Amino acid sequence: MSRTEKDRNSDSIRGGFPGLSRQIDLSRRNPNDAPPWSLDTKFRVVGTDVPRLDGMAKATGVAVYPSDFRPKGLLYAAILRSPIPKGKVAELDTSKADAAPGVMAVAVATGKGRQIRYVGQEIVAVAAETKALAEDALARIQLVLDADGDFVADPIVDARKNLPAVDPLPQSLQEAGARGEKEVELAMAFETQVQMHHPLEPHGITAMFHRDGSLEVWASTQGTFMMQRSLAQAFRLPSRRVHVLTPVMGGGFGSKLQAGIEARLCAELAMEAGRPVHCFVDRRGQALAMGNRPSSLHWIRAKANSGGEIVDWEAQSYGFPGFAGSGRVAYPTFYRGVRRPRHRDIRGNTGAARAFRAPGHPQGFFAAESMVDELACRLGIDPLEFRLKNVDPVHHMQLKMGAEAFGWKQRFNKKPGTPDKASSMLRGAGMACTRWGGMGGARARVLCRIHQDGTVEVRNGAQDIGTGTRTVLAVVTAETLGVDVKRIQAHIGDSQDPAGPSSGGSTTTPTLAPAIRHAAWLAGQELLGRVAEQKRIERKELSLEGGKILKGGKPFLSFSQACALIGPEPIEAMGQRYRNWRGFSGGVAGCQFAEVEVDPETGLVQVRRILAVQDCGTVIDKKTAESQVIGAIIQGLSYALFEERLVDAKLGRVLGTDLEHYRIAGSLEMPEIIPILNKGCNGHNNTGAAGIGEPPTIPTSAAIANAVRNAIGARVHRLPLTPDRVLEVLDRVHGGKQ
Amino acid sequence: MKAFEYARPQNLSQALEQGGTFKAGGVDLLSRMKRGTLSVKKLVDISALQDLRFAPVLKKGELWIGAGLPLARLLEAGPLLPQGIRQAAAGTATPQIRNQASLVGNLLQEKRCLYLLDPEISCLGNGGKGCPARDGHHAELAILEPSPCLAIQASNLAPILCALDARLFEFQGKDNLRSLRAFYQDWRKQGERPKLPLTHSIRIPAASLRGGSAHHEVRVKQSFDWAIATAAAHLVLDGDRVARASLWLGSVSDIPYQAKKVEQALQGKAPTDFKKALALLDSDFELHSPQQDWKRKMALLCAEKALRKSYDNAKEQR
Ligand SMILES: Cc1cc2nc3c(=O)[nH]c(=O)nc-3n(C[C@H](O)[C@H](O)[C@H](O)COP(=O)(O)OP(=O)(O)OC[C@H]3O[C@@H](n4cnc5c(N)ncnc54)[C@H](O)[C@@H]3O)c2cc1C
Ligand code: SF4
């Protein structure tokens, strides 16, 4: 390495935001890495609106999803699920199903003597010539269950009774308002519901064993390599003998981070039948067994002084993850004074919780941000001012920026509980903050090839769960080489390509982007080498800038001209994902503002607009990043107002397992959504990119709840904010005279 | 879904020859088949029959509407369509559903209860015993004239068409003009939906085309969902006073509910007295538990709004 390059490595770059930046020490940077982007980098493609590369194929139905894939000789699987919430398999005889018409294989998931822990637990899977024949065969399975009546399907009911004491609920607007006291101490309870995982494409794979004994799988998964490892382990194959393909997939919010039992059963059936098997769970199976965001209960006691500082905070939380999984919650501890809750999980006989877009965060933030807001309301301080006093510098900057853009001053209702004269609606505004890690850093490699015809191929085997992975590959490559995005052919979702991360924790882009940049940068360096060789000039005279080859700083060759010199063998470079160095901050921050209208006659909440300020380090593609913010807000709104898994406690059964009856926000529920990307550079890797998939769904429900509080003059302590709950509070504080 | 036979007759005579279950838009039928709560031997798809898809026309002083007309097309009808029908059709779900759903299919949709969706639950609602909803979730179930099974009829069009005393015109049988009100009564009495031959149209008698009508509804979610409560009113005025009143509620009972006491109390009254008359409705609610209190309030609200809107409409019509 030359001296000058070494010097550059021990240098520093500017990270953070315009107006809130600092120098970042690069001494821990790997000397082989590509030079890092910083806050001062001028981009050509990065940060612009690049339409999703596969958007057209997806929108027009051309894209082949894993559940669409139909290889020759395909069989279809159906799964028999437990009809009881607790007990044991006493007898299981599948011989009649085996002999049923069209049935080619049977695989047992829960055999004789094994425990049943929830309604929906997989017992047997059958593969047959058609889905209908497979379903018919299930009816022939002789299953005797030893039911245990001692189950708990809804443990939150008892937990509610055992919470520490809370303040009496205000019976009038006056009681709910500020009482001119110097300091305020409150003890309150909050509650959140179970939200179901309902990706458009349900969980599943299509599996086939080839003659050589290797396994090929088309998987709707959030981790192609995770799926590869899991199946390899289950079938005692070396990883390289399991080939996972996920060219596109129909969404995942955390539940597809594991190779579920349906994947293992599918491969088992394929092995037994010696034919490909399609095993995708139906909507009911999806609702019962594919995970959820667990419900939670919170008790918080907090105190704020006359100066508007939070001076005391004590909290106890409970999570209800079902028979397994975690119900842990996270609180916004970036507020001065806010502390983590003591936590306990209480299990029950329903399907297990799984990671769900920012696990634990919307639950905890709803409770804690409600409490923070209530302290402000009772002190009679504007919730914006109150937050500004208690928050860290990045949130401080974002809150000011968001409040200005949102028009907080005009929209915040100074007389909560009084209807708007013109519309007779109750209007209000609320806010909440968010924070998330999302710095990425798992091992990843990216292959970049530059071809003689001037096209550039980039490859990584990771999947795209909707965040735009393919587009990120193209944008970072195009920027690094200085060429047009159209030149780039990006390939993803194939475990035979270089390793990439699972898409969880908002880490896909921050993990891959630096490896893509490294690969493209190496390939560009090699291109210069080839040019020097061919033109018999000194390598160090050449540089690559803005898609042109410069000689002694002057234009020398176009990119295409340079590529023409490569020869038939393409340039091939393998980029690495080096470890993070200490960037501007260890996470991303944001805040959201909501405006709502509440109908005093019905209690119905209509969200009018939501404005989000969100940081994600360097914005790679503005369009897909904004889409993430918008989608996260939609999901957060749906959680705030509608989604709620209903369980019949006596039967131990989930009710309304289809999409017609599980309420999810639709087109008519959509507010105006304004995403403001707080552009900056986190500077912890060579691109400065950080994650964005999860953080913007964290504060939405709290912001809406706080807006409802501002509209109606008192607080609803429980999600979702259904009209009956809102009307109950209205009737209480208005003496039924609304 | 279980395998079934399928026929798609191209004209009426073919259709009338076929025996089987008629499928119009299939919105109700197919989702039950997919869920496994209904199995059908033979499906006769009548959606190609243009004879059933005609837009509202005046014939012999009556208003005739094709049984198979999609709700979205109903909305395209001109001013001859009573306002109440328009409002009820416009409120139904979301455009995708309205494009698919037929008028008679809407009236014939199955009763609703979350427990009824689960093929593994056996209860009164599907021929079994007991009602688990009573100990569980019943916030959205029957609150007026509750039967042992609390499942509700949630058709948007049913209350207004009952209020307008509509008839179903069928192709077969001697007495092929059937009162919609009587049809629902029979449904209640028999405990299951009376078998209907192929229905041609809905006919609204001339008397119901006088005066004004309105529909009002409240729903938790505006897109892709059913209403919590609906009400439809038809008022004929004499000066500023009510000469004849008809008030029907939907989503509150196993069949559309006629608020007879309110109707009688409104006779000869001015609109200032609506609240008083509605108190009579309030005393008729039979809540199974406080879970249903919001629904009760919404039913009252719908009734009041429907009356006021139909009163205004009646005044405009003069
Ligand atoms: C998400 C969602 C939301 C909805 N929201 C609402 C709502 O807000 N309000 C509302 O009212 N409805 C709502 N619905 C229900 C929907 O409107 C009905 O399912 C639909 O109108 C049924 O009409 P169809 O033509 O599809 O009937 P089909 O499903 O085809 O048929 C229903 C029944 O009617 C019979 N039938 C149909 N036509 C004839 C005929 N000409 N002669 C004899 N028998 C016939 C069929 O045999 C069948 O038994 C909703 C449905 C969904 C999925
Ligand atoms: S109301 Fe009761 S009896 Fe009727 S369908 Fe529902 S659970 Fe069954």
Side-chain angles (χ1 to χ4, degrees), chain B residues 113-116 121 123-126 130-134 141 148-151:
Chain B
C113 167
L114 284 174
Y115 293 77
L116 216 44
I121 293 180
C123 64
L124 282 167
N126 55 20
C131 171
R134 288 178 183 264
L141 299 183
C149 164
L150 296 175

Side-chain angles (χ1 to χ4, degrees), chain A residues 660, chain B residues 21-29 46 52 67 91-93 97 100-102 104-106 108-109 154-156 193 196-199 219 224-227:
Chain A
E660 285 174 27
Chain B
T21 306
F22 298 122
K23 174 207 151 283
V27 180
D28 187 57
L29 219 50
I46 54 171
L52 302 187
T92 307
I97 303 274
Q100 191 69 16
S102 69
V104 163
N106 183 276
L108 267 51
Q109 63 181 282
S155 158
N156 259 45
R193 204 184 74 200
L196 272 194
L198 186 61
T199 301
R219 27 185 93 227
F224 285 110
D225 202 0
W226 283 262

Side-chain angles (χ1 to χ4, degrees), chain A residues 666-684:
Chain A
S667 53
L668 295 173
E669 280 70 48
M670 289 305 113
E672 178 189 7
I673 301 176
I674 308 154
I676 299 179
L677 296 174
N678 191 192
K679 286 196 180 185
C681 170
N682 212 302
H684 55 283

